[in-house]
Amino acid sequence: MVERLFEDLKIIDFSWVLVGPLIAKYFADFGAKVIHIESNTRPDTLRTSLPFKDEIQDLDFNGYFPLYNSNKYGMALNLQHKKGIEIARRLVAWSDVIIESFRPGVMERLGLGFEELRKIKPDIIMLSTTMQGQNGPNAFQPGFGNQLVGLVGFPSVTGWPDRDIVQPYGAYTDCIAPYFGVAAIVGALLYRNRTGKGQHLDLSQYEAGVQFISVPLLDWMINGRNAVREGNSSRCGAPHGVYQCLGEDRWCAIAVFNDEEWKGLCRAMGKEDLIYDRRFITLFSRKRNEVELNRLVEEWTQKLDAREVVSKLQAFGVPSGVVNNNSDLFDDPQLKERQCFWMIDHPVLGPFPHPSPSFKLSKTPSEPRMPAPCLGQHTEFVCKEFLKMSDEEFKQLFDEEVFK
């Protein structure tokens, strides 16, 4: 039997969309009991996003939500109902960690703010994750990660200088912030184990994103220079870009930063005469003649399969990689060996791949225990098994639409 790292940990997940649910999922993947709270009147927004199985636009046919909520229990709870709040408070008494992603003040208005929760359970840990944190002039601004991508400044450095700004794929900050949230909760758990005290964790997704643009920030602080869009090139390397290979829409990435890598590239290409060509002999000369250099490189890559190009380059110590498409990822032998994708059988969608945690723990590995819940799938189970609710009480609350 697999020993589970967080087997005794109990989490109530009031969050929605991606950041909060993904934080909770990491703990669920390593054995924590996580209950995801939503309702039919306020379902998790991810359930309304594309894609849908067989184009059936139903909340339980959505393919996005299950990726970030597997290994969790799903409970429908109407927080607009007075008795729904009472049930939420009972869940707090049962739990160790609360995760929420409402705008600042919402949990307080519901009577579920941190100070109220401490009265129920003094050592409770609460993580609040919002766009810009719990305080400050813009703390109450609602929105999604796509807006934060712009606020952080990612589009100012992505794309080509002579073209319109290019937004990074998706809500990029949503894929950054969860790691900070997981680390914060682990830190709070260690503090609680040592002192017996809980605490309120305030995660600003904006500030998490800023951590990933530190080099341009440093350039501004030291040199007063704003970063500009450079396309696939780099001031520190040449050739540095993505090059077309044999086949339809097949590419590889190549990055040469020093003279040894330049020599390796020339040898891989079978063009050792270029090593001491005065146009390319140093990084500075290669940068001056980058257009011609890129043309020569792509003349070579276009005649070869991308994997063949990369194999030749890596044999000579040249940093390079295939630009994979979706089907490539599922066929990648490295990802297969490390079981990057879990095949989980969803009650509505059937079996389909889920990304597993990217880190492995040798003694307490993560494991796929159950699929993401359909909306409210485990409401009765949670009430009776975890809250020890009687059949009569559950039926009465159900009839009163507390679990709507």
Side-chain angles (χ1 to χ4, degrees):
M1 183 178 177
V2 175
E3 184 180 357
R4 296 170 181 163
L5 179 64
F6 294 114
E7 187 167 9
D8 297 325
L9 187 66
K10 293 171 284 189
I11 298 176
I12 306 300
D13 178 15
F14 286 103
S15 65
W16 54 323
V17 191
L18 183 52
V19 176
L22 188 51
I23 293 170
K25 176 177 158 53
Y26 279 115
F27 290 97
D29 287 344
F30 286 92
K33 293 183 180 70
V34 177
I35 302 172
H36 185 68
I37 306 293
E38 51 184 326
S39 73
N40 287 283
T41 55
R42 186 190 177 279
D44 192 316
T45 302
L46 276 191
R47 291 190 185 273
T48 66
S49 305
L50 295 172
F52 290 94
K53 179 178 172 61
D54 301 327
E55 305 303 324
I56 299 173
Q57 299 209 5
D58 181 273
L59 295 176
D60 290 329
F61 278 74
N62 169 265
Y64 201 178
F65 175 87
L67 293 178
Y68 303 106
N69 291 281
S70 55
N71 284 335
K72 299 181 185 179
Y73 297 98
M75 182 178 187
L77 186 63
N78 182 4
L79 295 178
Q80 302 303 314
H81 196 296
K82 180 180 178 181
K83 291 187 178 179
I85 298 299
E86 292 174 5
I87 298 301
R89 293 169 70 86
R90 288 168 67 175
L91 287 168
V92 171
W94 171 85
S95 67
D96 299 291
V97 177
I98 305 296
I99 299 174
E100 63 93 10
S101 59
F102 296 106
R103 276 195 293 173
V106 171
M107 291 294 274
E108 284 75 11
R109 289 197 296 274
L110 291 171
L112 298 172
F114 180 64
E115 293 304 319
E116 286 298 313
L117 301 191
R118 289 177 64 192
K119 297 174 184 176
I120 302 168
K121 188 165 188 180
D123 65 349
I124 195 71
I125 294 167
M126 182 177 188
L127 181 138
S128 298
T129 175
T130 59
M131 288 269 287
Q132 300 188 50
Q134 296 293 302
N135 63 295
N138 296 322
F140 293 92
Q141 185 179 89
F144 292 92
N146 305 71
Q147 295 158 256
L148 287 180
V149 166
L151 278 174
V152 171
F154 289 122
S156 70
V157 294
T158 55
W160 278 259
D162 58 340
R163 304 182 199 175
D164 290 340
I165 276 179
V166 176
Q167 178 100 339
Y169 175 75
Y172 188 52
T173 53
D174 281 16
C175 300
I176 292 173
Y179 296 102
F180 291 87
V182 171
I185 289 174
V186 170
L189 288 169
L190 291 172
Y191 177 78
R192 190 187 70 174
N193 290 345
R194 191 173 73 247
T195 66
K197 299 177 181 179
Q199 57 183 310
H200 190 192
L201 312 175
D202 175 8
L203 173 59
S204 163
Q205 296 166 32
Y206 186 7
E207 292 167 48
V210 167
Q211 304 295 320
F212 282 69
I213 202 164
S214 56
V215 172
L217 284 176
L218 183 63
D219 198 12
W220 167 256
M221 292 168 63
I222 301 300
N223 301 312
R225 181 169 51 207
N226 260 320
V228 296
R229 302 191 298 282
E230 298 181 274
N232 288 328
S233 67
S234 167
R235 282 178 288 169
C236 303
H240 187 287
V242 176
Y243 302 89
Q244 190 171 26
C245 298
L246 188 66
E248 184 178 353
D249 201 27
R250 303 303 293 178
W251 306 80
C252 70
I254 302 172
V256 172
F257 294 105
N258 57 52
D259 294 341
E260 286 305 308
E261 291 170 357
W262 165 244
K263 293 174 184 176
L265 172 63
C266 293
R267 291 174 179 134
M269 293 170 59
K271 294 184 177 294
E272 294 192 41
D273 57 304
L274 291 178
I275 291 177
Y276 299 107
D277 189 309
R278 294 184 64 182
R279 295 172 298 170
F280 311 125
I281 194 169
T282 66
L283 171 62
F284 299 110
S285 62
R286 291 194 288 277
K287 289 299 295 181
R288 283 195 300 271
N289 296 283
E290 195 165 15
V291 173
E292 174 65 11
L293 178 56
N294 283 333
R295 185 188 66 77
L296 290 170
V297 172
E298 195 158 71
E299 276 185 359
W300 174 65
T301 62
Q302 283 178 327
K303 300 172 184 176
L304 300 171
D305 175 81
R307 295 190 185 281
E308 185 179 358
V309 171
V310 170
S311 177
K312 288 176 177 290
L313 290 174
Q314 291 183 355
F316 285 96
V318 180
S320 55
V322 175
V323 177
N324 284 328
N325 57 33
N326 289 347
S327 61
D328 292 332
L329 293 176
F330 289 112
D331 292 332
D332 190 299
Q334 179 69 18
L335 298 184
K336 284 183 177 179
E337 173 70 22
R338 289 180 57 80
Q339 298 179 326
C340 177
F341 298 105
W342 287 336
M343 290 300 297
I344 302 178
D345 193 359
H346 188 271
V348 172
L349 305 176
F352 73 100
H354 294 60
S356 67
S358 54
F359 49 90
K360 313 295 181 185
L361 302 184
S362 62
K363 299 296 184 183
T364 54
S366 59
E367 58 176 337
R369 292 178 288 115
M370 56 186 179
C374 294
L375 205 159
Q377 181 179 342
H378 303 107
T379 302
E380 185 173 359
F381 176 86
V382 168
C383 288
K384 293 182 179 179
E385 293 295 321
F386 297 156
L387 300 183
K388 306 303 178 185
M389 191 179 292
S390 68
D391 292 345
E392 293 75 15
E393 183 184 7
F394 178 81
K395 184 179 185 307
Q396 180 181 343
L397 292 170
F398 183 87
D399 290 342
E400 294 178 28
E401 297 190 338
V402 173
F403 304 124
K404 185 177 180 181

